[in-house]
Amino acid sequence: MDLNYDELFKISIWALKINRSYPTIPNDKIWFLTMIPMHGFFFFIFCLLLNSTICHDLKNNNFSAACTNGIFAVLFFVVTFNYTVLFIKKHDIITAIKRVKRDYEAAKLLPEEEQAIVVQYAKAANWVTRVWALTSCITFSSFPMITVIRFIYYYWIGEFKLVFMYDMTYPEAIETRKNNVSMYFFLLFAHTYYGLYTLLMYVGFTPLGLIFMLHACGQLEIVKFRISNLFNGGRYEPKEIRERLKHIVMPLQEILEFVHLLKETFRVIYEVYMKATTIVFPIAFYEIIESFKEGHGSFEYMTFIVAGSVLCFASCYYSDLLMEKGDSVRLSVYTSGWECHPDSGMRRTLLITLSRLERDVAIRTLFRTVNLDAFSELCHQSYALFNLINAAWN
């Protein structure tokens, strides 16, 4: 397998370059002149959603429609926040990308066993990127697909009418003309643009944290492999062991610095993902139940739940895996047999290494560690919020 970062993760890179948020794109006048209209039109559609939710849906006690528009409004905040992080933390993200590229180049000179480890985790990161891109595309495409199906259905039964992708109430200037063909196609374009812009950010930005976490897991696995061969079956040759120890301690120090960089870069991002998903889950469930009561199923909102589950579960799972790899490295140092050898300098170095590994090697949000326990808590909070919504409006 060719360890080429740009080729392995071209889907993510391509998506971020299209919406002009890739970290290596210079923030010059050209960037400014393209970003402002792109995100400005995105903001305009968000204002329409907000107007429909506050001025019409909630005012008319139409909680189902308010839930629907509320989900899309949450997407605006998440996408805008992602764009802001890519702008503010661009140097940190570029540093992380360069680190992965450097390790991929260095892996070509590693022994076969260590090179296989790097390839294994690079393949896993590539697979995750593709799965997430597929999940995001299915979620986005469900809305135009349902629109086309409804359009064909009404035409088939002889009740032809224009079907809108997102059902909302517009300001009077648009509402009175929305059934005109020209206005209909403008709104259809606006809805499609909103979905595509959101899709590009999710496909491009979301896999970055997973790619970096999996890479860190692979590097820790290599360190663990080197520790297992540190004493070469019990044969003690001080010069050789000191050389091997150097190839353990120095890479481990770099890995811990890399993980610390990830913590600082993605700390707020994963907090936003968790909170946003906690809100979207119960609203989507409520909308699905209401749609079944009305005699039809909301397939498109089911895809929201699947996408949110994949997003948060993958982040929690791979952060949990990273923590597990850190624990396994600490255990391998402790059980390496270092206490049986007379070189005090070597023993001191390994003891310092043990102390450095005392803290969990994992990604943290503002309030807690990102792991499977955090995902479980998210599900519990979503269920409690769903019960509250259901009790309040039924």
Side-chain angles (χ1 to χ4, degrees), residues 4-15:
N4 185 322
Y5 180 93
D6 292 335
E7 185 63 27
L8 282 169
F9 310 116
K10 60 185 177 183
I11 297 175
S12 172
I13 295 171
W14 173 77

Side-chain angles (χ1 to χ4, degrees), residues 287-298 302:
E287 185 62 28
I288 290 169
I289 291 173
E290 287 299 305
S291 69
F292 276 115
K293 289 179 180 178
E294 294 171 5
H296 62 88
S298 292
M302 296 178 191

Side-chain angles (χ1 to χ4, degrees), residues 151 154 159-164 178-181 184-185:
F151 189 90
Y154 288 124
E159 297 179 7
F160 176 78
K161 65 178 181 178
L162 299 176
V163 181
F164 294 89
K178 71 177 183 179
N179 289 316
N180 294 344
V181 175
Y184 171 76
F185 280 108

